[in-house]
Amino acid sequence: MTTSHTGTGDVDPAVREELDRLRDSIDNIDAAVVHMLAERFKCTQQVGRLKAVHQLPPADPAREARQIDRLRTLAENAKLDPAFAEKFLNFIIAEVIRHHERIAEDTVNGQAPGAN
């Protein structure tokens, strides 16, 4: 199995077939990741509403630190770069906190929590 670097049109058919198979798997995994993130955010929206109603702060640094430690361990066990996993979780946490702040603001302003 050899490949040519002159373009995609002259790739060995066996290589093209393997690329397509791998890319189909990647596409399926991406779809699963999106669906899992959507479910996660549904749960964190509920947490945000609960926090807002009970006047709890949008962020919980102690929980976030535990989650980062936990995710780094999971990443190491899965042979994934723990630094990458931490960056990914930090991105998600920042978005969750942003949502919780908006929900808290809506609650203070008399709107139903998370109604936007």
Side-chain angles (χ1 to χ4, degrees):
M1 254 192 263
T2 61
T3 59
S4 169
H5 298 290
T6 60
T8 58
D10 57 349
V11 174
D12 181 301
V15 172
R16 172 63 53 207
E17 184 177 326
E18 181 68 0
L19 278 172
D20 289 345
R21 183 188 69 75
L22 291 168
R23 288 175 175 162
D24 285 345
S25 291
I26 290 167
D27 292 348
N28 288 338
I29 293 165
D30 288 346
V33 167
V34 167
H35 287 282
M36 293 300 296
L37 284 171
E39 286 301 311
R40 187 185 196 287
F41 276 96
K42 286 177 189 175
C43 290
T44 61
Q45 292 287 44
Q46 292 175 7
V47 168
R49 288 191 289 277
L50 189 61
K51 285 180 171 183
V53 167
H54 295 281
Q55 299 177 342
L56 298 169
D60 184 344
R63 164 129 171 105
E64 294 157 19
R66 287 191 309 273
Q67 286 296 93
I68 289 168
D69 288 344
R70 180 177 159 274
L71 195 73
R72 286 185 69 90
T73 299
L74 288 170
E76 288 171 6
N77 292 340
K79 307 292 188 255
L80 178 68
D81 179 6
F84 169 77
E86 182 174 345
K87 288 177 191 173
F88 182 70
L89 185 60
N90 281 329
F91 176 77
I92 291 171
I93 289 170
E95 186 68 8
V96 168
I97 291 169
R98 190 179 69 76
H99 289 183
H100 288 185
E101 289 169 344
R102 189 195 75 237
I103 292 168
E105 183 178 311
D106 288 350
T107 299
V108 167
N109 292 332
Q111 297 178 6
N116 290 345

